[in-house]
Amino acid sequence: MATPSDKKEAQQQQYEALDANDKGLFDNWVRAFKTNLGIGRTPAEKQQASARHQFEKDKSDCERCEKTRDHLLKNSPIILFMTEHLKDSGYTVTKEKMPCM
């Protein structure tokens, strides 16, 4: 039966047998999994990654909200009806008056 040190040595030999391109692909794969799983990162790095992920999610949500709002203001019969009647009553509805939160 192979010992853990024998397995590690065999894995190291397999890695060294890879050409430079395959090593690069393998290293990128390992780095991606470590990043996604949080392995080998300090609590500060995990917090930064979490904050960066939340920022990107918020940015994406905001862009989707603005796109939907703009589409509805131009194409939704109900929204067009309401904005037309609000305009008739003296209140102009614009996208600037409807910020996405």
Side-chain angles (χ1 to χ4, degrees):
M1 181 169 206
T3 64
S5 63
D6 291 340
K7 287 182 181 180
K8 186 170 182 159
E9 193 174 307
Q11 291 170 344
Q12 185 65 31
Q13 288 174 353
Q14 288 175 339
Y15 176 76
E16 290 172 2
L18 295 173
D19 65 18
N21 187 40
D22 288 339
K23 280 184 184 178
L25 292 172
F26 178 77
D27 290 340
N28 288 340
W29 180 81
V30 169
R31 191 177 317 109
F33 271 93
K34 283 184 175 182
T35 299
N36 290 336
L37 297 175
I39 298 172
R41 293 195 293 178
T42 66
E45 290 172 330
K46 289 179 184 179
Q47 186 177 10
Q48 283 178 339
S50 177
R52 185 172 45 251
H53 174 74
Q54 186 63 42
F55 174 78
E56 292 297 326
K57 183 182 177 308
D58 291 346
K59 183 179 172 185
S60 173
D61 289 348
C62 191
E63 289 170 354
R64 187 178 68 244
C65 174
E66 290 171 351
K67 183 178 176 181
T68 302
R69 175 200 62 202
D70 295 346
H71 174 74
L72 290 173
L73 280 171
K74 291 178 185 174
N75 301 311
S76 172
I78 295 170
I79 302 295
L80 291 170
F81 175 83
M82 288 190 315
T83 56
E84 181 181 321
H85 283 80
L86 283 169
K87 187 186 286 186
D88 291 344
S89 68
Y91 185 80
T92 304
V93 177
T94 62
K95 66 181 181 180
E96 289 78 21
K97 292 182 180 177
M98 289 188 236
C100 290
M101 306 266 174

